[in-house]
Amino acid sequence: MAELRVTPLGAGQDVGRSCILLTIGGKNIMLDCGMHMGYNDERRFPDFTYITRTEKLTEHLDCVIISHFHLDHCGALPFMSEMVGYDGPIYMTHPTKAICPILLEDFRKIAVERKGEQNFFTSDMIKSCMKKVVAVNLHQTIQVDDELEIKAYYAGHVLGAAMFHMKVGQQSVVYTGDYNMTPDRHLGAAWIDKCRPDLLISESTYATTIRDSKRCRERDFLKKVHDCVEKGGKVLIPVFALGRAQELCILLETYWDRMNLKAPIYFSLGLTEKANHYYKLFITWTSQKIKKTFVQRNMFEFKHIKPFDRSYIENPGPMVVFATPGMLHAGLSLQVFKKWAPNENNMVIMPGYCVAGTVGHKILNGVRRIEMENKQMIDVRMSVQYMSFSAHADAKGIMQLISQCEPRNVMLVHGEAAKMEFLKKKIRQEFDIGCFNPANGETVNIDTQHNIPVDIALNLLKREASFTGSDPHDPKQPRTLHGALMMKGNKLQLVEPAQAFRELGLEEHQLRFTCTVSVDEGGTVMQTVDKIYNLLKSDLKDSSIQYSSDGSITIQESVLIKVSGDEETKDMLVSWSHQDEELGSYLLQTLRTTFVTT
């Protein structure tokens, strides 16, 4: 019995720092390599000493797979490959490969140039790390080595996000990364084959949430923004550069157009241009509507949304600002928040999940006085709204994916422990399969059982088909085939015993059982044989029954019935091979109950 071994170094009963170690068929794979938004110390990156304390990681890993460009899934990549040491292949999709280095460089600038952190990866390290990347296309089977193959599937969520199916021999695992089972304005829904893996490793950010109608949420969002700017207030919407930002920009752009509103909308400088460029470049990864309308109009070229300059923070009057990052843990969004928070006319709308430890998480939990890093205290008087425009699957979406790919086991990662426990029970109840949710550093071993493929000789199948006559069995019902199992090279084949004996140069011996039933039965021997023949024809509809000229009956070519005797008593001889023990016993029983035995 083979075994899968899984250890989360990050995202085990936690959101952030996704990094999962998988051992499948003797191959070691790292799934994602992210950073944690809630920490600024050594806990920010996964603890790679779990893998090795002295050697390079290359000696212990066969490959690294990155599901998408969000920093909680790729933020530790240059640290892992360049500072800890890994020279093997890193697999990701083409959009992820294009966008990843830009976000890593932004992350580095904030950490090193603004916060003055030491012992951090450099720009050259990011470039060197990206040289190890192998870009993959959707549904393309990549042969990592002679035994390990991987395949990417569309995950929705953000541009370029993918789920990965990994296979070694008969063992297989699907890792979802982050995914969304419902399409939105700019991306399609996640999709995967019915691949029936031994294990599905799924994110569970919204393990206990079933979202309301998207249309209601959008209407509510637009009303809140409109009401705030109409009263002269400022609206801050913290977002990550790519993803929800584009979704909400398209929403506000069309609303501003329809309502002819004049309040300015701004977006973090530089990021709109970059985002626009990549959405044009990878248009095939977007939703059907955007692909259809792209020739007439690029949905990402906005008329009402202008680049934001830091000097605008102090501007009087209403405005809407999309600022990065999305959890208010650093950067421009935090700077704008500090300025606008004390004014009760202003509003902050959190459109996605916030990791524990971030300012976003604190204000969503009702904290109204926040201490910043420099001991500065901020009074939060502005309105704080949470509206989930998150591109993660909700509980219904997770269950939908399980139904779609039919795994034998499920593992929940990238979620909160209590919520995972709830969903775990649901999965076990509904699908009756194993479900796990290990903490960081905890290893789960999963036994996998597999069928061994056997080729069946054509003449054996033909012989079996001839036995069934014109009334074949239900193809879904199991059938018993008698043959000899031979191993040729590394393949197993079921052949006729006679063929096996010939190929092995052995003499064939037959073991047969014979039993005679004596009965009181009047009439001729041939009348008794006719009676037995008609009885068997009605009882054994699926069997091949031959009536020979010498008065014997043959069933399935190997069971023989012969009748002898006089006008008053008959002897019925039943003979069968050891393979037909079940049929022989049945015939004896039938004859004994049908005729009066002496």
Side-chain angles (χ1 to χ4, degrees):
M1 195 181 279
E3 193 180 63
L4 295 171
R5 196 165 71 249
V6 188
T7 311
L9 296 189
Q13 300 181 7
D14 187 19
V15 177
R17 196 179 48 202
S18 281
C19 184
I20 287 121
L21 294 180
L22 166 68
T23 301
I24 172 173
K27 304 288 175 185
N28 295 322
I29 305 168
M30 182 183 284
L31 303 168
D32 281 334
C33 188
M35 52 82 71
H36 202 295
M37 307 279 186
Y39 300 116
N40 285 323
D41 52 22
E42 69 281 352
R43 292 172 296 174
R44 176 167 46 202
F45 295 144
D47 181 7
F48 297 113
T49 60
Y50 183 92
I51 303 171
T52 176
R53 289 181 179 276
T54 51
E55 299 170 291
K56 289 180 88 170
L57 296 177
T58 317
E59 316 301 319
H60 300 268
L61 294 173
D62 291 280
C63 73
V64 173
I65 291 172
I66 301 296
S67 62
H68 63 289
F69 59 66
H70 277 157
L71 290 175
D72 61 328
H73 292 259
C74 73
L77 203 51
F79 175 79
M80 186 272 299
S81 69
E82 308 311 303
M83 296 173 81
V84 180
Y86 171 73
D87 299 318
I90 301 166
Y91 294 96
M92 57 179 77
T93 64
H94 289 275
T96 306
K97 185 184 178 183
I99 297 162
C100 217
I102 297 162
L103 298 187
L104 287 168
E105 182 55 29
D106 278 353
F107 175 38
R108 186 202 66 79
K109 275 182 186 165
I110 290 170
V112 177
E113 294 174 17
R114 293 203 197 134
K115 294 184 181 172
E117 290 192 29
Q118 307 294 312
N119 194 28
F120 210 81
F121 53 79
T122 63
S123 295
D124 285 340
M125 284 179 185
I126 296 171
K127 286 175 191 152
S128 177
C129 168
M130 295 313 290
K131 283 177 186 167
K132 295 165 187 172
V133 170
V134 179
V136 303
N137 295 314
L138 289 177
H139 305 161
Q140 174 192 6
T141 300
I142 301 278
Q143 208 67 43
V144 176
D145 58 26
D146 291 344
E147 295 169 311
L148 171 61
E149 62 178 54
I150 64 171
K151 191 178 192 179
Y153 290 92
Y154 190 78
H157 187 63
V158 291
L159 192 67
M163 302 189 264
F164 281 86
H165 183 216
M166 296 142 284
K167 199 172 174 201
V168 178
Q170 289 251 312
Q171 285 185 304
S172 70
V173 173
V174 168
Y175 174 62
T176 65
D178 291 350
Y179 63 101
N180 192 4
M181 292 300 283
T182 48
D184 56 29
R185 274 180 161 71
H186 76 297
L187 293 173
W191 183 87
I192 194 165
D193 283 321
K194 198 176 279 297
C195 48
R196 298 185 176 94
D198 294 300
L199 176 64
L200 170 72
I201 304 174
S202 171
E203 68 129 318
S204 54
T205 319
Y206 290 100
T208 56
T209 307
I210 292 179
R211 288 200 204 95
D212 54 359
S213 145
K214 195 157 114 311
R215 193 159 293 207
C216 293
R217 237 177 309 142
E218 289 176 349
R219 204 181 298 126
D220 199 16
F221 168 77
L222 293 168
K223 186 179 185 308
K224 284 188 164 85
V225 173
H226 193 165
D227 288 353
C228 184
V229 295
E230 206 155 56
K231 290 173 191 161
K234 296 174 170 61
V235 182
L236 169 64
I237 307 170
V239 286
F240 288 104
L242 291 131
R244 294 314 85 203
Q246 281 67 40
E247 183 77 2
L248 296 175
C249 279
I250 293 170
L251 188 58
L252 276 186
E253 172 79 9
T254 50
Y255 184 73
W256 246 238
D257 229 12
R258 195 168 75 239
M259 304 299 287
N260 197 22
L261 298 178
K262 298 290 180 252
I265 307 174
Y266 297 112
F267 200 116
S268 300
L269 186 64
L271 287 171
T272 1
E273 291 90 321
K274 283 175 189 169
N276 223 346
H277 170 69
Y278 287 115
Y279 276 100
K280 283 179 192 170
L281 190 60
F282 299 111
I283 194 75
T284 54
W285 286 75
T286 59
S287 70
Q288 280 304 114
K289 188 181 176 187
I290 285 181
K291 280 187 269 196
K292 277 181 193 165
T293 58
F294 187 69
V295 181
Q296 293 87 33
R297 180 189 167 217
N298 177 7
M299 294 279 276
F300 301 108
E301 279 170 3
F302 303 117
K303 187 170 75 179
H304 298 280
I305 302 168
K306 302 284 185 280
F308 184 74
D309 188 272
R310 283 171 198 272
S311 62
Y312 298 173
I313 297 175
E314 307 287 356
N315 283 9
M319 66 174 86
V320 179
V321 174
F322 287 96
T324 58
M327 298 187 192
L328 290 177
H329 58 281
L332 179 65
S333 62
L334 186 58
Q335 197 181 336
V336 175
F337 173 77
K338 285 181 197 172
K339 284 284 183 193
W340 292 0
N343 189 329
E344 58 196 23
N345 289 331
N346 298 336
M347 178 187 285
V348 59
I349 298 177
M350 306 300 293
Y353 186 86
C354 288
V355 167
T358 59
V359 172
H361 185 267
K362 286 173 188 167
I363 61 169
L364 285 177
N365 280 287
V367 178
R368 288 294 171 260
R369 192 168 167 78
I370 292 174
E371 187 180 343
M372 307 313 286
E373 280 177 354
N374 54 6
K375 303 290 181 201
Q376 173 193 3
M377 298 302 290
I378 301 282
D379 286 317
V380 182
R381 294 196 188 93
M382 74 193 311
S383 168
V384 176
Q385 301 291 332
Y386 173 68
M387 306 195 73
S388 176
F389 285 95
S390 176
H392 291 274
D394 62 1
K396 195 173 161 190
I398 295 166
M399 299 298 258
Q400 198 182 328
L401 185 77
I402 295 170
S403 298
Q404 204 169 303
C405 80
E406 292 186 3
R408 292 182 181 92
N409 296 278
V410 172
M411 180 176 287
L412 301 175
V413 295
H414 199 285
E416 295 164 30
K419 292 179 180 179
M420 281 180 172
E421 283 298 333
F422 175 83
L423 186 60
K424 188 165 129 180
K425 282 181 192 157
K426 281 277 188 216
I427 291 168
R428 283 177 171 165
Q429 275 168 15
E430 194 159 322
F431 298 102
D432 192 25
I433 55 176
C435 189
F436 310 89
N437 60 328
N440 288 332
E442 184 186 337
T443 300
V444 172
N445 295 305
I446 298 169
D447 290 330
T448 59
Q449 285 181 313
H450 289 283
N451 300 322
I452 298 168
V454 175
D455 291 333
I456 300 178
L458 186 60
N459 55 356
L460 188 65
L461 284 172
K462 281 180 176 173
R463 193 180 115 219
E464 179 63 27
S466 73
F467 291 159
T468 62
S470 61
D471 188 13
H473 279 275
D474 178 347
K476 290 182 181 174
Q477 288 298 316
R479 295 282 293 279
T480 305
L481 282 177
H482 293 299
L485 194 62
M486 295 182 73
M487 192 161 193
K488 296 180 178 180
N490 61 353
K491 284 191 172 178
L492 286 170
Q493 194 176 24
L494 191 67
V495 299
E496 283 194 285
Q499 183 187 335
F501 281 117
R502 277 197 308 276
E503 288 188 25
L504 295 167
L506 296 172
E507 190 182 339
E508 186 175 355
H509 297 276
Q510 274 211 344
L511 179 65
R512 291 189 73 82
F513 301 96
T514 303
C515 187
T516 302
V517 180
S518 296
V519 298
D520 292 330
E521 180 72 14
T524 66
V525 166
M526 291 312 286
Q527 283 172 331
T528 304
V529 173
D530 284 342
K531 194 173 177 181
I532 295 168
Y533 178 73
N534 291 326
L535 174 71
L536 297 181
K537 271 301 228 186
S538 67
D539 273 12
L540 303 172
K541 289 190 174 74
D542 295 335
S543 299
S544 162
I545 302 170
Q546 310 280 314
Y547 193 156
S548 302
S549 55
D550 64 354
S552 63
I553 298 171
T554 310
I555 302 112
Q556 299 288 61
E557 286 190 4
S558 65
V559 180
L560 181 72
I561 298 176
K562 284 194 89 157
V563 181
S564 59
D566 53 34
E567 290 288 322
E568 291 175 6
T569 59
K570 309 284 184 296
D571 290 328
M572 299 175 183
L573 177 139
V574 184
S575 172
W576 65 91
S577 65
H578 73 284
Q579 290 103 322
D580 293 305
E581 172 65 37
E582 202 177 317
L583 181 58
S585 300
Y586 169 76
L587 289 170
L588 276 178
Q589 187 63 31
T590 304
L591 294 175
R592 281 177 178 145
T593 52
T594 307
F595 298 93
V596 179
T597 54
T598 55

